[in-house]
Amino acid sequence: MEYILETNNLEKRYKKFKVISNLNMHIPKGAIYGLIGKNGAGKTTLIRVLCGLQKPTGGNYSIYGISNESKEIIKTRKRIGAIIEVPSLCYDMSAIDNLKEYAKIIGNPSLDNLGEILNLVGLEGTGKKHVKNFSLGMKQRLGIAITLVGNPDFLILDEPINGLDPEGIIEIRELILRLNKENGITFLISSHYLDELSKIATCYGFIDQSRIVKEISKKELEESLRKRITINVSNIKECVKYLEENKVKYEVISNEVIDIYQKINISDMIIALSKRDCIVNEYQEKGESLENYYLNLIGGAENV
Ligand code: ADP
């Protein structure tokens, strides 16, 4: 597999305190990589190191196969756009003037595609309106537009939906998906909004106690999420007897409700139970959430 970014036993220490250590992560080309971890797990520190804002104290990493120890890394970093914590915007300027200003800062001589970038993020109609009058979602989209000025193919977004209202969250989600699908941009997104992240991520890295404890693709995750069938029955005793006889894994939830944790032929079970004077009033197939998976992985809610 081709990786845009790989780390090898990466470490960042402040005095004796290791914020990240033995950290190994792999971001495939074209992925939307969701970096998940509780507050203080080291996400921002990791991102700052990867963006070259801080030096690792151990291990190394490569971007597009270029090691951080090579001189070439400075040029390679130009292929990355990043927003760390909050986007830096000039509030008394229009959206287009913000882009022009940034283009000047990074020494980008061509201003031709700036209108196109505003189109991409859906801010083309904002004209002379100053950024201070933008909604939070618009400001965040402008932040992403600024990262696009250097024409990067890898974007790193640290908590991109923090503080956004539901409408703003949807705008950012759609923008990320569009840039990924239509422009082939790879993303590294850190977030503690697991539900939201699960709507866009194609793979995940779970960070806990300074390390990546698990990397998993969306497909693998979906396969490993424990599925269950919840049934509501008229005669719980008979139902339990039937499940025991057929060696089915189950859990009694209440006097009427049972959760079944394995694949079964539900029609056969309904017929068999009806012969035992037990009616299945309702059944529903449910999947475990990303949040549950994460909590199991890091050892329970008390650790969040
Ligand atoms: P996250 O982004 O996952 O919330 P951070 O990377 O911001 O985590 O912080 C991880 C840990 O590193 C925290 O305990 C934080 O206090 C510590 N930390 C971050 N920056 C510094 C620093 N400059 N000096 C000392 N400790 C730091």
Coordinates of all heavy atoms in Angstrom, one line a residue, residues 147-234:
T147 N -5.7 26.8 3.4 CA -4.8 25.7 3.2 C -4.7 25.2 1.8 O -3.7 24.6 1.4 CB -5.2 24.5 4.1 OG1 -6.4 23.9 3.6 CG2 -5.4 24.8 5.6
L148 N -5.7 25.5 1.0 CA -5.7 25.0 -0.4 C -4.8 25.9 -1.4 O -4.6 25.5 -2.5 CB -7.1 24.9 -1.0 CG -8.0 23.9 -0.3 CD1 -9.4 24.0 -0.8 CD2 -7.5 22.4 -0.5
V149 N -4.4 27.1 -0.9 CA -3.7 28.1 -1.7 C -2.5 27.5 -2.3 O -2.2 27.7 -3.5 CB -3.5 29.4 -1.0 CG1 -2.5 30.3 -1.8 CG2 -4.8 30.1 -0.6
G150 N -1.7 26.8 -1.5 CA -0.5 26.2 -2.0 C -0.7 24.9 -2.8 O 0.3 24.2 -3.2
N151 N -1.9 24.6 -3.2 CA -2.3 23.4 -4.0 C -1.8 22.1 -3.3 O -1.2 21.3 -4.0 CB -1.7 23.6 -5.4 CG -2.5 22.9 -6.4 OD1 -3.6 22.5 -6.1 ND2 -1.9 22.7 -7.6
P152 N -2.1 21.9 -2.1 CA -1.6 20.7 -1.4 C -2.4 19.4 -1.8 O -3.5 19.6 -2.3 CB -1.9 21.0 0.1 CG -3.1 21.8 0.1 CD -3.0 22.6 -1.2
D153 N -1.8 18.3 -1.6 CA -2.7 17.1 -1.8 C -2.8 16.3 -0.5 O -3.3 15.2 -0.5 CB -2.1 16.2 -2.9 CG -0.6 16.1 -3.0 OD1 0.0 16.3 -2.0 OD2 -0.1 15.9 -4.1
F154 N -2.4 16.9 0.6 CA -2.6 16.3 1.9 C -3.0 17.4 2.9 O -2.3 18.4 3.1 CB -1.3 15.6 2.3 CG -1.3 14.9 3.7 CD1 -2.5 14.3 4.2 CD2 -0.1 14.9 4.4 CE1 -2.4 13.7 5.4 CE2 -0.1 14.2 5.7 CZ -1.3 13.6 6.2
L155 N -4.2 17.3 3.5 CA -4.6 18.3 4.5 C -4.7 17.7 5.9 O -5.2 16.6 6.1 CB -6.0 18.8 4.1 CG -6.1 19.8 2.9 CD1 -7.5 20.4 2.9 CD2 -5.1 20.9 3.0
I156 N -4.2 18.4 6.8 CA -4.3 18.0 8.2 C -5.2 19.0 9.0 O -4.9 20.2 9.0 CB -2.8 18.0 8.9 CG1 -1.9 17.1 8.1 CG2 -2.9 17.7 10.3 CD1 -0.5 17.0 8.6
L157 N -6.2 18.5 9.5 CA -7.2 19.3 10.2 C -7.3 18.9 11.7 O -7.7 17.7 11.9 CB -8.6 19.3 9.6 CG -8.6 19.6 8.0 CD1 -10.0 19.4 7.5 CD2 -8.1 21.0 7.7
D158 N -7.0 19.8 12.6 CA -7.0 19.4 14.0 C -8.4 19.9 14.5 O -8.7 21.1 14.6 CB -5.9 20.2 14.7 CG -5.7 19.8 16.2 OD1 -6.3 18.7 16.6 OD2 -5.1 20.5 16.9
E159 N -9.2 19.0 14.9 CA -10.6 19.3 15.5 C -11.3 20.3 14.6 O -11.7 21.4 15.1 CB -10.4 19.9 16.9 CG -9.8 18.9 17.9 CD -10.8 17.9 18.5 OE1 -11.9 17.9 18.1 OE2 -10.3 17.0 19.3
P160 N -11.6 19.9 13.3 CA -12.2 20.9 12.4 C -13.6 21.3 12.7 O -14.1 22.4 12.2 CB -12.1 20.3 11.1 CG -12.1 18.8 11.3 CD -11.4 18.7 12.7
I161 N -14.3 20.6 13.6 CA -15.7 20.9 13.8 C -16.0 21.5 15.2 O -17.1 21.7 15.6 CB -16.7 19.8 13.4 CG1 -16.4 18.6 14.3 CG2 -16.7 19.5 12.0 CD1 -17.5 17.5 14.2
N162 N -14.9 21.7 15.9 CA -15.1 22.2 17.3 C -15.8 23.5 17.3 O -15.5 24.4 16.5 CB -13.7 22.5 17.9 CG -13.3 21.5 18.9 OD1 -14.0 20.5 19.0 ND2 -12.3 21.7 19.6
G163 N -16.9 23.6 18.1 CA -17.6 24.9 18.2 C -18.6 25.2 17.1 O -19.3 26.2 17.1
L164 N -18.7 24.3 16.1 CA -19.6 24.6 15.0 C -21.1 24.1 15.3 O -21.3 23.1 16.0 CB -19.2 23.8 13.7 CG -17.9 24.2 13.1 CD1 -17.6 23.5 11.8 CD2 -17.8 25.7 12.9
D165 N -22.0 24.8 14.7 CA -23.4 24.4 14.9 C -23.7 23.3 13.9 O -22.9 23.0 13.0 CB -24.4 25.6 14.7 CG -24.3 26.3 13.4 OD1 -23.6 25.7 12.5 OD2 -24.8 27.4 13.2
P166 N -24.9 22.6 14.0 CA -25.1 21.5 13.1 C -25.0 21.8 11.7 O -24.5 21.0 10.9 CB -26.6 21.0 13.5 CG -26.8 21.5 14.9 CD -25.9 22.8 15.0
E167 N -25.4 23.0 11.3 CA -25.3 23.4 9.9 C -23.9 23.5 9.4 O -23.5 23.0 8.4 CB -26.0 24.7 9.7 CG -26.5 25.0 8.2 CD -27.1 26.3 8.1 OE1 -27.8 26.8 9.1 OE2 -26.9 27.0 7.1
G168 N -23.1 24.1 10.3 CA -21.6 24.3 10.0 C -21.0 22.9 9.9 O -20.1 22.7 9.1
I169 N -21.4 22.0 10.8 CA -20.8 20.6 10.8 C -21.1 19.9 9.4 O -20.2 19.4 8.8 CB -21.3 19.8 12.0 CG1 -20.8 20.4 13.3 CG2 -20.9 18.3 11.8 CD1 -21.3 19.7 14.5
I170 N -22.3 20.1 9.0 CA -22.7 19.4 7.7 C -21.8 20.1 6.6 O -21.3 19.4 5.7 CB -24.2 19.6 7.4 CG1 -24.9 18.8 8.5 CG2 -24.5 19.1 6.0 CD1 -26.4 19.0 8.5
E171 N -21.7 21.4 6.6 CA -20.9 22.1 5.5 C -19.5 21.6 5.5 O -18.9 21.3 4.4 CB -20.8 23.6 5.8 CG -22.1 24.3 5.6 CD -22.1 25.8 6.2 OE1 -21.0 26.2 6.6 OE2 -23.1 26.4 6.1
I172 N -18.9 21.4 6.7 CA -17.5 21.0 6.7 C -17.4 19.5 6.2 O -16.5 19.1 5.5 CB -16.9 21.2 8.1 CG1 -16.8 22.6 8.5 CG2 -15.5 20.5 8.2 CD1 -15.9 23.5 7.6
R173 N -18.3 18.7 6.7 CA -18.4 17.3 6.3 C -18.4 17.2 4.8 O -17.6 16.5 4.1 CB -19.6 16.6 6.9 CG -19.6 15.1 6.6 CD -21.0 14.6 6.7 NE -21.6 14.9 8.0 CZ -22.9 14.9 8.3 NH1 -23.8 14.7 7.3 NH2 -23.4 15.2 9.5
E174 N -19.4 17.9 4.2 CA -19.5 17.8 2.7 C -18.3 18.3 2.0 O -17.9 17.8 0.9 CB -20.8 18.6 2.3 CG -22.0 17.8 2.7 CD -23.3 18.4 2.4 OE1 -23.3 19.6 2.0 OE2 -24.4 17.8 2.6
L175 N -17.7 19.4 2.5 CA -16.5 20.0 1.9 C -15.3 18.9 1.9 O -14.7 18.7 0.9 CB -16.1 21.3 2.6 CG -14.8 21.9 2.1 CD1 -14.8 22.2 0.7 CD2 -14.5 23.2 3.0
I176 N -15.1 18.3 3.1 CA -14.1 17.3 3.2 C -14.3 16.2 2.2 O -13.4 15.8 1.5 CB -14.0 16.8 4.6 CG1 -13.4 17.9 5.6 CG2 -13.0 15.6 4.7 CD1 -13.5 17.6 7.0
L177 N -15.5 15.7 2.1 CA -15.8 14.6 1.2 C -15.6 15.0 -0.2 O -15.1 14.2 -1.0 CB -17.3 14.1 1.5 CG -17.5 13.3 2.8 CD1 -19.0 13.1 2.9 CD2 -16.8 12.0 2.7
R178 N -16.0 16.2 -0.5 CA -15.8 16.7 -1.9 C -14.4 16.8 -2.3 O -13.9 16.3 -3.3 CB -16.5 18.0 -2.1 CG -17.0 18.3 -3.5 CD -17.9 19.4 -3.6 NE -17.5 20.7 -3.0 CZ -18.1 21.3 -2.1 NH1 -19.2 20.8 -1.5 NH2 -17.6 22.4 -1.6
L179 N -13.6 17.4 -1.4 CA -12.1 17.6 -1.7 C -11.4 16.2 -1.8 O -10.5 16.0 -2.6 CB -11.5 18.4 -0.6 CG -11.9 19.9 -0.6 CD1 -11.3 20.6 0.7 CD2 -11.5 20.6 -1.8
N180 N -11.9 15.2 -1.0 CA -11.3 13.9 -1.0 C -11.7 13.2 -2.3 O -10.8 12.7 -3.0 CB -11.8 13.1 0.2 CG -11.3 11.7 0.2 OD1 -12.0 10.8 0.0 ND2 -10.0 11.5 0.5
K181 N -13.0 13.2 -2.7 CA -13.4 12.4 -3.8 C -13.0 13.1 -5.2 O -12.5 12.5 -6.1 CB -14.9 12.3 -3.8 CG -15.3 11.3 -2.7 CD -16.6 10.5 -3.0 CE -16.9 9.5 -2.0 NZ -17.2 10.0 -0.7
E182 N -13.3 14.4 -5.2 CA -13.1 15.1 -6.5 C -11.7 15.6 -6.8 O -11.3 15.7 -7.9 CB -14.1 16.3 -6.7 CG -15.6 15.8 -6.7 CD -16.6 16.9 -6.7 OE1 -16.3 18.0 -6.9 OE2 -17.8 16.5 -6.4
N183 N -11.0 16.0 -5.7 CA -9.7 16.5 -5.8 C -8.6 15.6 -5.4 O -7.4 15.9 -5.4 CB -9.6 17.9 -5.1 CG -10.6 18.9 -5.6 OD1 -11.8 18.7 -5.5 ND2 -10.1 20.0 -6.2
G184 N -9.0 14.4 -4.9 CA -8.0 13.4 -4.5 C -7.2 13.8 -3.3 O -6.0 13.3 -3.2
I185 N -7.7 14.7 -2.5 CA -6.9 15.1 -1.3 C -7.0 14.1 -0.2 O -8.1 13.6 0.2 CB -7.3 16.5 -0.9 CG1 -7.0 17.5 -2.0 CG2 -6.7 16.9 0.4 CD1 -7.4 18.9 -1.7
T186 N -5.8 13.7 0.4 CA -5.8 12.8 1.5 C -5.9 13.7 2.8 O -5.4 14.8 2.8 CB -4.4 12.1 1.6 OG1 -4.3 11.4 0.3 CG2 -4.3 11.1 2.7
F187 N -6.7 13.2 3.8 CA -6.9 13.9 5.0 C -6.4 13.2 6.2 O -6.6 12.0 6.4 CB -8.4 14.2 5.2 CG -9.0 15.3 4.4 CD1 -9.4 15.0 3.1 CD2 -9.0 16.6 4.9 CE1 -9.9 16.1 2.3 CE2 -9.6 17.6 4.1 CZ -10.0 17.4 2.8
L188 N -5.8 14.0 7.2 CA -5.7 13.5 8.5 C -6.5 14.4 9.4 O -6.3 15.6 9.4 CB -4.2 13.6 9.0 CG -3.9 13.5 10.5 CD1 -4.4 12.2 11.1 CD2 -2.4 13.7 10.7
I189 N -7.5 13.8 10.1 CA -8.4 14.7 10.9 C -8.5 14.2 12.3 O -8.8 13.0 12.5 CB -9.9 14.6 10.3 CG1 -9.9 15.0 8.8 CG2 -10.8 15.4 11.1 CD1 -11.2 14.9 8.1
S190 N -8.1 15.1 13.2 CA -8.3 14.7 14.6 C -9.6 15.2 15.1 O -10.0 16.3 14.8 CB -7.1 15.2 15.5 OG -7.4 16.5 15.9
S191 N -10.2 14.4 15.9 CA -11.5 14.8 16.5 C -11.9 13.9 17.6 O -11.5 12.8 17.7 CB -12.6 14.7 15.4 OG -13.8 15.2 15.9
H192 N -12.7 14.5 18.6 CA -13.3 13.6 19.6 C -14.8 13.5 19.3 O -15.5 12.9 20.2 CB -12.9 14.1 21.0 CG -13.3 15.4 21.3 ND1 -12.5 16.5 21.1 CD2 -14.5 15.9 21.9 CE1 -13.2 17.6 21.5 NE2 -14.4 17.3 22.0
Y193 N -15.3 14.0 18.2 CA -16.7 13.8 17.8 C -16.7 12.5 17.0 O -16.7 12.5 15.8 CB -17.2 15.0 17.0 CG -17.3 16.2 17.8 CD1 -16.4 17.2 17.7 CD2 -18.4 16.5 18.6 CE1 -16.5 18.4 18.4 CE2 -18.5 17.6 19.3 CZ -17.6 18.6 19.2 OH -17.7 19.8 19.9
L194 N -16.8 11.4 17.7 CA -16.6 10.1 17.0 C -17.8 9.8 16.0 O -17.5 9.3 14.9 CB -16.6 9.0 18.0 CG -15.5 9.1 19.1 CD1 -15.3 7.7 19.8 CD2 -14.2 9.5 18.4
D195 N -19.0 10.2 16.4 CA -20.1 10.0 15.5 C -19.9 10.7 14.2 O -20.1 10.1 13.1 CB -21.4 10.5 16.3 CG -22.6 9.8 15.7 OD1 -22.5 8.6 15.4 OD2 -23.6 10.5 15.6
E196 N -19.5 11.9 14.3 CA -19.3 12.7 13.1 C -18.1 12.2 12.2 O -18.3 12.0 11.0 CB -19.0 14.2 13.5 CG -18.8 15.2 12.3 CD -20.0 15.1 11.4 OE1 -21.1 14.9 11.8 OE2 -19.7 15.2 10.1
L197 N -17.1 11.8 12.9 CA -15.9 11.3 12.2 C -16.3 10.0 11.5 O -15.8 9.8 10.4 CB -14.8 11.0 13.2 CG -13.4 11.0 12.7 CD1 -13.0 12.3 11.9 CD2 -12.4 10.9 13.9
S198 N -17.1 9.2 12.1 CA -17.5 7.9 11.5 C -18.3 8.1 10.2 O -18.4 7.2 9.4 CB -18.2 7.0 12.5 OG -19.5 7.6 12.7
K199 N -18.8 9.3 10.0 CA -19.5 9.6 8.7 C -18.6 9.8 7.5 O -19.0 9.8 6.4 CB -20.4 10.8 8.9 CG -21.6 10.5 9.9 CD -22.5 11.7 10.0 CE -23.6 11.3 11.0 NZ -23.9 12.5 11.8
I200 N -17.3 10.2 7.8 CA -16.4 10.5 6.7 C -15.1 9.6 6.7 O -14.6 9.4 5.6 CB -16.0 12.0 6.7 CG1 -15.5 12.4 8.0 CG2 -17.2 12.8 6.3 CD1 -14.9 13.9 8.0
A201 N -14.7 9.1 7.8 CA -13.3 8.5 7.8 C -13.3 7.2 7.0 O -14.3 6.4 7.0 CB -12.9 8.2 9.3
T202 N -12.2 6.9 6.3 CA -12.1 5.7 5.6 C -11.1 4.7 6.4 O -11.0 3.6 6.1 CB -11.5 5.9 4.2 OG1 -10.2 6.6 4.3 CG2 -12.4 6.7 3.3
C203 N -10.4 5.3 7.4 CA -9.6 4.5 8.3 C -9.4 5.3 9.6 O -9.6 6.5 9.6 CB -8.3 4.0 7.7 SG -7.3 5.4 7.1
Y204 N -9.0 4.6 10.6 CA -8.9 5.2 11.9 C -7.5 4.9 12.6 O -7.0 3.8 12.4 CB -10.0 4.7 12.9 CG -11.4 5.0 12.4 CD1 -12.0 4.0 11.6 CD2 -12.0 6.1 12.8 CE1 -13.3 4.3 11.2 CE2 -13.3 6.4 12.3 CZ -14.0 5.4 11.5 OH -15.2 5.7 11.1
G205 N -7.0 5.8 13.4 CA -5.9 5.5 14.3 C -6.4 6.0 15.7 O -6.8 7.1 15.8
F206 N -6.3 5.1 16.6 CA -6.7 5.4 18.0 C -5.5 5.6 18.8 O -4.6 4.8 18.9 CB -7.5 4.2 18.6 CG -8.8 3.9 17.9 CD1 -8.8 3.0 16.8 CD2 -9.9 4.6 18.2 CE1 -10.0 2.8 16.1 CE2 -11.1 4.3 17.5 CZ -11.2 3.5 16.5
I207 N -5.4 6.8 19.4 CA -4.2 7.2 20.2 C -4.6 7.2 21.7 O -5.6 7.7 22.0 CB -3.7 8.6 19.7 CG1 -2.4 9.0 20.5 CG2 -4.7 9.7 19.7 CD1 -1.7 10.2 19.8
D208 N -3.8 6.5 22.4 CA -4.0 6.5 23.9 C -2.7 6.3 24.6 O -1.8 5.5 24.1 CB -4.9 5.3 24.2 CG -5.4 5.4 25.7 OD1 -5.7 6.5 26.1 OD2 -5.4 4.3 26.3
Q209 N -2.5 7.0 25.7 CA -1.3 7.0 26.4 C 0.0 7.1 25.6 O 0.8 6.2 25.6 CB -1.3 5.7 27.3 CG -2.4 5.8 28.3 CD -2.4 4.6 29.2 OE1 -1.6 3.6 29.1 NE2 -3.3 4.6 30.2
S210 N -0.1 8.1 24.7 CA 1.1 8.5 23.9 C 1.3 7.6 22.6 O 2.2 7.9 21.8 CB 2.3 8.7 24.7 OG 2.9 7.4 25.0
R211 N 0.6 6.5 22.5 CA 0.8 5.6 21.3 C -0.4 5.5 20.5 O -1.5 5.6 20.9 CB 1.3 4.3 21.8 CG 2.6 4.2 22.4 CD 2.9 2.8 22.9 NE 1.9 2.3 23.8 CZ 1.2 1.2 23.5 NH1 1.4 0.5 22.4 NH2 0.2 0.8 24.3
I212 N -0.2 5.0 19.2 CA -1.3 4.6 18.4 C -1.6 3.1 18.9 O -0.8 2.3 18.7 CB -1.0 4.6 16.9 CG1 -0.8 6.0 16.4 CG2 -2.1 3.9 16.1 CD1 -2.0 6.9 16.2
V213 N -2.7 2.9 19.5 CA -3.0 1.6 20.0 C -3.7 0.7 19.0 O -3.6 -0.6 19.1 CB -3.8 1.6 21.3 CG1 -3.0 2.1 22.5 CG2 -5.1 2.4 21.2
K214 N -4.2 1.3 17.9 CA -4.9 0.5 16.9 C -5.1 1.3 15.6 O -5.5 2.5 15.7 CB -6.3 0.0 17.4 CG -7.0 -0.8 16.5 CD -6.8 -2.3 16.7 CE -7.5 -3.1 15.7 NZ -7.0 -4.5 15.7
E215 N -4.8 0.7 14.5 CA -5.1 1.3 13.2 C -6.1 0.3 12.5 O -5.8 -0.9 12.5 CB -3.9 1.5 12.3 CG -3.1 2.7 12.8 CD -2.0 3.1 11.8 OE1 -1.2 2.1 11.4 OE2 -1.8 4.2 11.5
I216 N -7.1 0.9 12.0 CA -8.1 0.0 11.4 C -8.8 0.7 10.2 O -9.1 1.9 10.3 CB -9.1 -0.5 12.5 CG1 -10.0 -1.7 12.0 CG2 -10.0 0.6 13.0 CD1 -10.7 -2.4 13.1
S217 N -9.1 -0.1 9.2 CA -9.9 0.5 8.0 C -11.3 0.5 8.4 O -11.8 -0.2 9.3 CB -9.6 -0.2 6.7 OG -10.3 -1.5 6.8
K218 N -12.1 1.4 7.7 CA -13.5 1.4 7.9 C -14.2 0.1 7.8 O -15.0 -0.4 8.5 CB -14.1 2.4 6.9 CG -15.6 2.7 7.1 CD -16.1 3.6 5.9 CE -17.5 3.8 5.9 NZ -18.0 4.9 6.8
K219 N -13.7 -0.7 6.7 CA -14.3 -2.0 6.4 C -14.0 -3.0 7.5 O -14.9 -3.6 8.0 CB -13.7 -2.5 5.1 CG -14.4 -3.7 4.5 CD -14.0 -3.8 3.0 CE -14.6 -5.2 2.5 NZ -13.6 -6.3 2.7
E220 N -12.7 -3.0 8.0 CA -12.4 -3.9 9.1 C -13.2 -3.5 10.4 O -13.6 -4.4 11.1 CB -10.9 -3.8 9.4 CG -10.0 -4.4 8.4 CD -8.5 -4.0 8.6 OE1 -8.3 -2.9 9.1 OE2 -7.7 -4.7 8.1
L221 N -13.3 -2.2 10.6 CA -14.0 -1.8 11.8 C -15.5 -2.3 11.7 O -16.0 -2.8 12.7 CB -14.0 -0.2 11.9 CG -14.8 0.3 13.1 CD1 -14.0 0.1 14.4 CD2 -15.0 1.8 12.9
E222 N -16.1 -2.1 10.5 CA -17.5 -2.5 10.4 C -17.7 -4.0 10.7 O -18.6 -4.4 11.3 CB -18.1 -2.1 9.0 CG -18.4 -0.6 9.0 CD -18.8 -0.1 7.6 OE1 -18.6 -0.9 6.6 OE2 -19.1 1.1 7.5
E223 N -16.7 -4.7 10.2 CA -16.8 -6.2 10.4 C -16.6 -6.6 11.8 O -17.2 -7.5 12.3 CB -15.7 -6.9 9.5 CG -16.1 -7.0 8.1 CD -15.0 -7.4 7.1 OE1 -13.9 -7.7 7.6 OE2 -15.2 -7.3 5.9
S224 N -15.8 -5.8 12.5 CA -15.5 -6.2 13.9 C -16.5 -5.6 14.9 O -16.5 -6.0 16.1 CB -14.1 -5.9 14.3 OG -13.9 -4.5 14.4
L225 N -17.3 -4.6 14.5 CA -18.3 -4.1 15.4 C -19.3 -5.2 15.8 O -19.9 -5.8 14.9 CB -19.0 -2.9 14.9 CG -18.2 -1.6 14.7 CD1 -19.0 -0.5 14.1 CD2 -17.6 -1.2 16.0
R226 N -19.5 -5.4 17.0 CA -20.3 -6.5 17.5 C -21.8 -6.2 17.1 O -22.3 -5.2 17.5 CB -20.2 -6.7 19.0 CG -20.5 -8.1 19.4 CD -19.9 -8.3 20.8 NE -20.5 -7.5 21.8 CZ -20.9 -7.9 23.0 NH1 -20.8 -9.2 23.3 NH2 -21.4 -7.1 23.9
K227 N -22.3 -7.1 16.2 CA -23.7 -6.8 15.8 C -24.7 -7.6 16.8 O -24.3 -8.6 17.4 CB -24.0 -7.4 14.4 CG -23.1 -6.8 13.3 CD -24.0 -5.9 12.5 CE -23.3 -5.3 11.2 NZ -22.0 -4.8 11.4
R228 N -25.9 -7.1 17.0 CA -26.8 -7.8 17.8 C -28.2 -7.6 17.3 O -28.5 -6.7 16.5 CB -26.7 -7.3 19.3 CG -27.2 -5.9 19.5 CD -27.1 -5.5 21.0 NE -27.8 -4.3 21.2 CZ -27.3 -3.1 21.2 NH1 -26.0 -3.0 20.9 NH2 -28.0 -2.0 21.5
I229 N -29.0 -8.6 17.6 CA -30.5 -8.5 17.3 C -31.2 -8.4 18.6 O -31.1 -9.2 19.5 CB -30.9 -9.8 16.5 CG1 -30.1 -10.0 15.3 CG2 -32.4 -9.7 16.2 CD1 -30.3 -11.4 14.7
T230 N -32.0 -7.3 18.7 CA -32.8 -7.2 19.9 C -34.2 -7.7 19.6 O -34.8 -7.3 18.6 CB -32.9 -5.7 20.3 OG1 -31.5 -5.2 20.5 CG2 -33.7 -5.4 21.5
I231 N -34.7 -8.6 20.5 CA -36.0 -9.1 20.2 C -36.9 -8.8 21.5 O -36.5 -8.8 22.6 CB -36.1 -10.6 19.9 CG1 -35.3 -11.4 21.0 CG2 -35.5 -10.9 18.6 CD1 -35.5 -12.9 20.8
N232 N -38.2 -8.6 21.2 CA -39.2 -8.3 22.2 C -40.2 -9.5 22.2 O -40.8 -9.7 21.1 CB -39.9 -7.0 22.0 CG -40.9 -6.7 23.1 OD1 -41.8 -7.5 23.4 ND2 -40.7 -5.5 23.7
V233 N -40.2 -10.3 23.3 CA -41.0 -11.5 23.2 C -42.1 -11.6 24.3 O -42.0 -10.9 25.3 CB -40.1 -12.8 23.3 CG1 -39.2 -13.0 22.1 CG2 -39.3 -12.7 24.6
S234 N -43.1 -12.4 24.1 CA -44.2 -12.5 25.0 C -43.9 -13.5 26.1 O -44.5 -13.4 27.2 CB -45.5 -12.9 24.3 OG -45.3 -14.3 23.8

